[in-house]
Amino acid sequence: LKEENNMPGNSFGNLYQITSFGESHGAGVGVVIDGCPAGIEISLEDIQVELDRRRPGQSVVTTDRDEPDQVEILSGISEGITLGSPIAMLIRNKDQRSQDYGNLAKVYRPSHADFTYEQKYGRRAVAGGGRSSARETVARIMAGAIARKILIQNGIEIVASVKQIHEITAELDVDSFTRDNVEANIVRCADPVAAEKMIELVKRMKQDGNSVGGVITVVARNVPVGLGEPVYDRLEAELAKAMLSINATKGFELVAVLAELV
Amino acid sequence: LKEENNMPGNSFGNLYQITSFGESHGAGVGVVIDGCPAGIEISLEDIQVELDRRRPGQSVVTTDRDEPDQVEILSGISEGITLGSPIAMLIRNKDQRSQDYGNLAKVYRPSHADFTYEQKYGRRAVAGGGRSSARETVARIMAGAIARKILIQNGIEIVASVKQIHEITAELDVDSFTRDNVEANIVRCADPVAAEKMIELVKRMKQDGNSVGGVITVVARNVPVGLGEPVYDRLEAELAKAMLSINATKGFELVAVLAELV
Amino acid sequence: LKEENNMPGNSFGNLYQITSFGESHGAGVGVVIDGCPAGIEISLEDIQVELDRRRPGQSVVTTDRDEPDQVEILSGISEGITLGSPIAMLIRNKDQRSQDYGNLAKVYRPSHADFTYEQKYGRRAVAGGGRSSARETVARIMAGAIARKILIQNGIEIVASVKQIHEITAELDVDSFTRDNVEANIVRCADPVAAEKMIELVKRMKQDGNSVGGVITVVARNVPVGLGEPVYDRLEAELAKAMLSINATKGFELVAVLAELV
Amino acid sequence: LKEENNMPGNSFGNLYQITSFGESHGAGVGVVIDGCPAGIEISLEDIQVELDRRRPGQSVVTTDRDEPDQVEILSGISEGITLGSPIAMLIRNKDQRSQDYGNLAKVYRPSHADFTYEQKYGRRAVAGGGRSSARETVARIMAGAIARKILIQNGIEIVASVKQIHEITAELDVDSFTRDNVEANIVRCADPVAAEKMIELVKRMKQDGNSVGGVITVVARNVPVGLGEPVYDRLEAELAKAMLSINATKGFELVAVLAELV
């Protein structure tokens, strides 16, 4: 088989193409966006607000590591306006508590990519997972913050809520729930009753030194008819790929496409 | 948004790249494989046997249309050996019962792409769905038949069984079920007890003029550690995309990665 | 080095993407176009007229092989209108005079890819060069005929003339020469005086069992400002790649970009 | 035509893929390499030595701007060894003499991309050309320094010499000239006699406020037979594209492929 020990796999997208780089405990994590239109207003704040939503250590239900990620724009934006050239953004790593991981040099963490990376590359980053760390998602958040701004300008709204944690399932009205509903609690579930129970569950699991899985519902509103390309690049195929490429995500389901014919 | 009325979307894969073409009621459906190694033995029979497995009209649980698909190899294989050049294969359309679809000129079929195609391209194939027809999957089968042969030569085995139809769920031992088990009945479920019930259910649904959904379990055995590329092209992301690109497939779940450390 | 014995290399283009297939002495040569807009009027005649211009054996200055190439449209066009789905076109091979090449089984033709193909793939097509034959260019001509029609509808005109054969150089007024000027003689040089001399030279060379090189000038008129993408996909880089990918083409020069500011 | 005001064009390569970013007068210029094998030894010095060769202001025959480019490795290399993850490298801009360019706000520099960029993106970087600056080549040099190291480890040697400046042509023995020969003078021509004349010419041109064009000869030694992919990605096509994508490069010629059959 002509699979090599390394081939490109760190880019995503055709027209708005992102390339992600960086390890959890190197100099930093970043992203290059190629294909972003010129003339879009983007402030540091637009990106920072999304990074702050992701920040570990912000509440009792997340990991304790504190990562106050500060974005620097390296290229592609001048005086708050996109130039049409590649937009590179960088977040320096700070909380590099490598000593915390010292005992991992001799074991593979269960359900992590430690073993796979070592087999594939002949080496692995003992500290923090290196490239396999979920910290890579900051690259997606930076690129997503700009994409989100462009989408909103075109009338498209995307909201996501936790739908389920372990066996607690939220009631979500997909037509009406808002980002404000989601931001109203620390598990980010638009159903406040379920949210209470989820928070209790996560706290209890954490006390036991355990973690727990869940399901997220994403709703995209005002999507134009015919978005995506048949056959291999149809919209649900691209979405499935994007979702499954996130660390620890194991399933994707297209629940419904609702079109109102007026 | 810079989405156009048409962009390429009919190719899949990086090293073994396939490009699919053809409508359900035009001259035919075909595929071009680029990147297949030279020197692989491929017979018409290798491909035909897989096409015959797909053939509609072969049993009471499938559609009644009879499509005896006959593959022609247009390029890339000479005297039963791959040349290293692109392998093009074509299946001529035969059962073009366009008159059957006449009444569809004025309506959109529910859960079909009729409306979407008309909006996207300004026209649609009334007869048989055109490019949106599930007949496109013959392209994947032809390309898959050759891929399968290469994989088998490298010790990799892939088997699939129907896991669930409506509310009937099969018991599958993922370590041991074989293609022969699957071929033993017309719903292709490796659990013979569940298979009986499924066949009964499908027959009843068909009598009612109804259809019914299901779930398929795919097992890949002896896959090398480290296949796929982090981060966006990780194996589960590529698999999810491939599966969701099939007509009427709406979900994907990576159930388990089992590694035996010996 | 992770170069394998075969990787994809038979596709070109991003938005209007072509995939070429076929050997000189197999079933035929064809092309798949992915990304062609829906709603374009294309007749068989549009494509055939360009194929006839290429046809070997049409005059005393070309090869003697007679290849009356007849195009068949396999998909993507219905009732003379593009559908938006991939356009596949096929030309069956006819003049497969394999016996003519029998003596080549033991030697490598100078300046041909015989040796390279044998080293790369472990085999080679003795008869007619197989995939390395210049016959592959019919795929480009079919795809180019449709591209040309789209360009003309958008006001863009592309004309080409032989500029030089061996040491005979034509005088060309790049602002004004037309396809009719070029078609007026069998070497397709818009300078009739130089054309005479070129025809004489080629005839003489042919009598001696020799061949001779040349230079072609291509002019594109009414090209929009800003076509192409910085930095690696700038227009001249893409043109250079396209030109150098043609058999026996060894050089490319961007002579001038003329813009009239009105 | 479905050409948009911006599409990706800042990546090059399939297996060893580079993405370039940065403007001449923003925060810096950088590159991300995706697909570099794990386990390669790379020092900062390996990259810096190549950057120093490019550095403007190093001699009387180059531009007077002094750009002491210092590379920072952001990811992909740990303790001097490549990890297999994307290698990101950054050079901060220093000599941002924007005031020098103030008078250019009202005019377009001849033979520069000023006009094109303004038409394409609706704006342009007045200072230093922004993305259209030749400073972008530092991205290629950083990526090339690592590629060069891998190639040398595989026995492949690539050397380049100035072949011609205006009408002064060097005598080069392509089989034997070395990088040391090239480094022996400030125009980097392996023929010392021609080099003298070239230096005189460039000095004279510079005094006149003029510049002058030239030709470079590149020799690649010990290249494996069969490198590159037919048909569109053949080696000379990829080389032509790479060369023509460099600022102010207008031609490419494949002079000879020499194979010694032993």
Side-chain angles (χ1 to χ4, degrees):
Chain A
L1 287 181
K2 55 183 170 174
E3 181 68 29
E4 294 294 328
N5 94 324
N6 201 10
M7 285 189 46
N10 296 281
S11 294
F12 189 84
N14 295 313
L15 295 178
Y16 184 90
Q17 188 169 78
I18 70 173
T19 300
S20 161
F21 64 87
E23 294 90 38
S24 61
H25 286 66
V29 174
V31 72
V32 182
I33 306 166
D34 197 0
C36 183
I40 309 283
E41 280 184 47
I42 302 288
S43 67
L44 269 180
E45 183 57 21
D46 289 330
I47 299 154
Q48 197 61 51
V49 70
E50 303 293 338
L51 285 169
D52 290 346
R53 291 187 72 215
R54 177 205 174 273
R55 193 165 61 84
Q58 64 182 286
S59 80
V60 292
V61 295
T62 64
T63 169
D64 289 338
R65 286 192 310 277
D66 190 17
E67 302 176 357
D69 295 322
Q70 213 82 49
V71 61
E72 181 190 6
I73 294 172
L74 297 175
S75 70
I77 297 177
S78 176
E79 297 172 17
I81 310 278
T82 60
L83 296 171
S85 50
I87 300 170
M89 292 180 282
L90 177 67
I91 293 172
R92 296 276 171 185
N93 289 330
K94 278 182 186 152
D95 183 17
Q96 303 187 23
R97 301 186 300 172
S98 293
Q99 65 284 12
D100 288 13
Y101 294 94
N103 60 328
L104 294 174
K106 291 172 207 133
V107 297
Y108 301 123
R109 291 172 296 171
S111 300
H112 281 70
D114 296 350
F115 172 71
T116 311
Y117 269 66
E118 193 167 295
Q119 289 290 309
K120 187 174 178 70
Y121 299 115
R123 73 205 58 241
R124 68 172 164 120
V126 169
R131 182 67 180 154
S132 74
S133 164
R135 181 154 173 71
E136 185 275 330
T137 55
V138 300
R140 304 170 191 231
I141 285 165
M142 291 187 278
I146 296 179
R148 182 178 155 83
K149 191 137 191 203
I150 299 171
L151 290 172
I152 287 173
Q153 285 174 8
N154 285 273
I156 297 175
E157 185 191 29
I158 298 176
V159 286
S161 167
V162 166
K163 169 71 183 174
Q164 189 180 341
I165 292 184
H166 198 54
E167 293 181 346
I168 304 167
T169 303
E171 296 290 322
L172 296 178
D173 179 351
V174 294
D175 287 334
S176 65
F177 81 82
T178 66
R179 201 179 202 184
D180 282 349
N181 299 150
V182 173
E183 292 295 304
N185 57 70
I186 55 174
V187 279
R188 296 203 170 101
C189 172
D191 172 352
V193 180
E196 287 283 301
K197 296 181 197 159
M198 289 170 176
I199 293 168
E200 280 316 299
L201 175 67
V202 174
K203 280 184 185 165
R204 211 165 58 236
M205 287 285 182
K206 207 173 168 184
Q207 278 166 2
D208 299 349
N210 210 338
S211 66
V212 66
V215 176
I216 292 166
T217 292
V218 182
V219 183
R221 296 176 182 138
N222 300 321
V223 175
V225 176
L227 201 67
E229 295 304 322
V231 294
Y232 299 108
D233 296 350
R234 68 184 66 190
L235 189 56
E236 59 250 49
E238 295 286 12
L239 289 174
K241 179 175 178 178
M243 290 304 107
L244 267 288
S245 78
I246 299 172
N247 265 18
T249 305
K250 296 301 170 197
F252 173 86
E253 195 178 351
L254 182 74
V255 179
V257 176
L258 304 171
E260 227 173 302
L261 302 181
V262 288
Chain B
L1 288 180
K2 54 184 171 173
E3 180 69 29
E4 294 294 327
N5 94 324
N6 201 11
M7 286 190 47
N10 296 281
S11 295
F12 189 83
N14 295 316
L15 295 178
Y16 184 89
Q17 188 169 80
I18 70 173
T19 300
S20 160
F21 64 87
E23 295 89 40
S24 61
H25 287 64
V29 175
V31 72
V32 182
I33 306 166
D34 197 359
C36 183
I40 310 282
E41 280 184 47
I42 302 288
S43 67
L44 269 180
E45 183 57 22
D46 289 330
I47 300 155
Q48 197 62 52
V49 69
E50 302 293 339
L51 285 168
D52 290 347
R53 290 187 73 217
R54 177 207 174 270
R55 193 165 61 85
Q58 64 182 286
S59 80
V60 291
V61 295
T62 64
T63 170
D64 288 338
R65 286 191 310 277
D66 190 16
E67 302 177 355
D69 294 322
Q70 214 82 47
V71 61
E72 182 190 5
I73 294 172
L74 297 175
S75 70
I77 297 177
S78 177
E79 298 172 15
I81 311 278
T82 59
L83 297 171
S85 50
I87 301 170
M89 293 180 281
L90 176 67
I91 293 171
R92 296 275 171 184
N93 290 331
K94 276 180 186 154
D95 181 17
Q96 303 186 23
R97 302 184 301 173
S98 293
Q99 66 284 9
D100 288 14
Y101 293 94
N103 60 328
L104 294 174
K106 291 173 207 129
V107 298
Y108 301 122
R109 291 172 296 171
S111 299
H112 282 70
D114 296 352
F115 173 72
T116 310
Y117 269 66
E118 193 167 295
Q119 290 289 310
K120 186 174 177 71
Y121 300 115
R123 71 205 60 241
R124 69 175 164 120
V126 169
R131 183 67 181 153
S132 73
S133 165
R135 183 156 173 70
E136 185 275 330
T137 55
V138 299
R140 304 170 191 231
I141 286 166
M142 291 187 279
I146 296 178
R148 182 178 155 83
K149 193 138 189 201
I150 300 171
L151 289 172
I152 286 172
Q153 285 175 8
N154 286 275
I156 298 175
E157 183 191 31
I158 299 176
V159 285
S161 167
V162 165
K163 168 71 183 174
Q164 188 180 343
I165 293 184
H166 198 55
E167 294 180 345
I168 305 165
T169 303
E171 296 290 322
L172 296 178
D173 179 351
V174 295
D175 287 334
S176 66
F177 82 83
T178 66
R179 202 180 202 185
D180 282 349
N181 299 151
V182 173
E183 291 294 303
N185 57 70
I186 57 173
V187 280
R188 296 202 169 102
C189 172
D191 172 353
V193 179
E196 287 284 301
K197 295 180 197 160
M198 289 170 177
I199 293 167
E200 279 316 299
L201 175 67
V202 174
K203 279 183 185 165
R204 209 166 60 236
M205 287 286 182
K206 207 174 170 185
Q207 277 166 3
D208 299 350
N210 210 339
S211 65
V212 66
V215 175
I216 292 166
T217 291
V218 182
V219 183
R221 296 177 182 137
N222 300 322
V223 175
V225 176
L227 201 67
E229 294 305 321
V231 295
Y232 299 108
D233 295 351
R234 68 184 64 191
L235 189 56
E236 59 249 49
E238 295 286 11
L239 289 174
K241 180 174 177 178
M243 290 303 109
L244 267 287
S245 78
I246 299 172
N247 264 17
T249 305
K250 296 301 171 198
F252 173 87
E253 196 178 349
L254 183 74
V255 179
V257 176
L258 304 171
E260 227 174 302
L261 301 181
V262 288
Chain C
L1 287 182
K2 56 183 168 173
E3 181 68 31
E4 294 293 328
N5 94 324
N6 201 11
M7 285 187 49
N10 296 280
S11 294
F12 188 84
N14 295 315
L15 295 178
Y16 184 91
Q17 188 168 77
I18 70 174
T19 300
S20 161
F21 64 87
E23 295 88 39
S24 61
H25 286 65
V29 174
V31 72
V32 182
I33 306 166
D34 197 359
C36 183
I40 309 282
E41 281 185 46
I42 302 288
S43 68
L44 270 180
E45 183 58 20
D46 289 330
I47 299 155
Q48 197 62 51
V49 69
E50 302 292 339
L51 286 168
D52 290 346
R53 290 187 72 214
R54 177 205 174 272
R55 192 165 62 84
Q58 65 182 283
S59 80
V60 292
V61 294
T62 64
T63 170
D64 287 340
R65 286 192 310 276
D66 190 16
E67 302 177 357
D69 294 322
Q70 214 83 47
V71 62
E72 181 190 6
I73 295 171
L74 297 175
S75 70
I77 298 177
S78 176
E79 297 172 17
I81 310 279
T82 59
L83 297 171
S85 50
I87 300 169
M89 292 181 281
L90 176 67
I91 293 171
R92 297 274 172 186
N93 289 330
K94 278 182 186 150
D95 182 17
Q96 303 186 22
R97 301 184 301 171
S98 294
Q99 66 282 11
D100 290 13
Y101 294 93
N103 60 328
L104 294 174
K106 291 174 207 129
V107 297
Y108 300 123
R109 290 172 296 172
S111 300
H112 282 71
D114 296 350
F115 173 71
T116 310
Y117 269 66
E118 194 167 294
Q119 289 290 309
K120 186 175 178 70
Y121 300 114
R123 70 205 60 243
R124 70 175 163 117
V126 169
R131 183 65 181 157
S132 73
S133 164
R135 182 156 173 70
E136 185 276 330
T137 55
V138 299
R140 304 169 191 233
I141 285 165
M142 291 187 279
I146 295 179
R148 181 179 156 82
K149 192 138 188 201
I150 299 170
L151 290 172
I152 287 171
Q153 285 174 10
N154 285 274
I156 297 175
E157 184 191 31
I158 299 177
V159 286
S161 168
V162 165
K163 169 71 182 175
Q164 188 180 342
I165 293 185
H166 199 55
E167 293 181 344
I168 305 166
T169 303
E171 297 290 322
L172 296 178
D173 180 350
V174 294
D175 287 333
S176 66
F177 82 82
T178 66
R179 202 179 202 186
D180 283 349
N181 300 150
V182 173
E183 292 294 303
N185 57 69
I186 56 173
V187 280
R188 296 204 171 101
C189 173
D191 172 353
V193 180
E196 288 283 301
K197 294 181 197 158
M198 289 169 177
I199 293 167
E200 281 315 299
L201 175 67
V202 174
K203 280 183 184 166
R204 211 165 60 236
M205 287 285 182
K206 207 173 168 186
Q207 277 166 2
D208 299 351
N210 210 338
S211 66
V212 67
V215 175
I216 292 167
T217 291
V218 182
V219 183
R221 296 176 182 138
N222 300 320
V223 175
V225 176
L227 201 67
E229 294 305 322
V231 294
Y232 299 109
D233 296 350
R234 68 183 66 189
L235 190 55
E236 59 249 49
E238 294 286 11
L239 290 173
K241 180 175 177 179
M243 291 303 108
L244 268 288
S245 78
I246 299 171
N247 265 19
T249 305
K250 296 300 170 197
F252 173 85
E253 196 178 350
L254 183 74
V255 179
V257 176
L258 304 171
E260 227 173 302
L261 302 181
V262 287
Chain D
L1 287 181
K2 56 182 170 175
E3 181 69 30
E4 294 294 328
N5 95 323
N6 201 11
M7 285 188 50
N10 296 281
S11 294
F12 189 84
N14 295 314
L15 295 178
Y16 184 90
Q17 187 168 79
I18 70 174
T19 299
S20 159
F21 64 86
E23 295 89 40
S24 60
H25 287 64
V29 174
V31 72
V32 182
I33 305 166
D34 197 0
C36 182
I40 308 282
E41 281 184 46
I42 301 289
S43 68
L44 270 180
E45 183 57 21
D46 288 330
I47 300 154
Q48 197 61 51
V49 69
E50 302 292 339
L51 285 168
D52 291 347
R53 289 187 73 216
R54 178 207 173 270
R55 193 165 61 85
Q58 65 182 282
S59 79
V60 292
V61 296
T62 63
T63 169
D64 288 338
R65 287 190 308 277
D66 190 15
E67 303 176 356
D69 295 321
Q70 214 83 46
V71 62
E72 181 190 6
I73 294 172
L74 297 175
S75 71
I77 297 177
S78 176
E79 297 172 19
I81 310 278
T82 59
L83 297 171
S85 50
I87 301 170
M89 292 180 282
L90 176 67
I91 292 172
R92 296 276 171 185
N93 289 330
K94 278 185 186 150
D95 182 17
Q96 303 186 23
R97 301 185 301 172
S98 293
Q99 66 284 11
D100 289 13
Y101 293 94
N103 60 327
L104 293 174
K106 291 172 208 133
V107 298
Y108 301 122
R109 289 172 297 170
S111 299
H112 282 71
D114 296 351
F115 173 71
T116 310
Y117 268 66
E118 193 167 294
Q119 289 291 308
K120 186 174 179 71
Y121 299 115
R123 70 204 62 241
R124 69 174 164 120
V126 169
R131 183 67 180 154
S132 73
S133 164
R135 181 154 174 72
E136 185 274 331
T137 55
V138 299
R140 305 170 190 232
I141 286 166
M142 291 187 279
I146 296 179
R148 182 180 156 83
K149 192 138 190 202
I150 300 170
L151 290 172
I152 287 172
Q153 285 175 7
N154 285 274
I156 297 175
E157 183 191 32
I158 299 177
V159 285
S161 167
V162 166
K163 169 70 182 174
Q164 188 179 342
I165 293 185
H166 198 56
E167 294 181 345
I168 304 167
T169 303
E171 297 290 322
L172 297 177
D173 180 350
V174 294
D175 288 334
S176 65
F177 81 83
T178 66
R179 202 179 201 185
D180 283 350
N181 299 150
V182 172
E183 291 295 303
N185 57 69
I186 56 173
V187 280
R188 296 204 169 100
C189 172
D191 171 352
V193 180
E196 286 283 302
K197 295 181 197 159
M198 289 170 177
I199 293 168
E200 280 316 299
L201 175 67
V202 174
K203 279 184 185 165
R204 210 165 59 235
M205 287 286 182
K206 206 172 169 185
Q207 277 165 3
D208 298 352
N210 210 341
S211 66
V212 66
V215 175
I216 292 165
T217 291
V218 182
V219 183
R221 296 175 182 139
N222 300 322
V223 176
V225 176
L227 201 67
E229 294 305 322
V231 293
Y232 299 109
D233 296 349
R234 69 185 64 193
L235 189 56
E236 59 249 50
E238 294 288 12
L239 289 174
K241 181 175 176 177
M243 290 303 108
L244 268 288
S245 79
I246 299 172
N247 264 18
T249 306
K250 296 302 169 196
F252 172 86
E253 195 177 351
L254 182 75
V255 179
V257 176
L258 304 171
E260 227 172 304
L261 302 182
V262 288

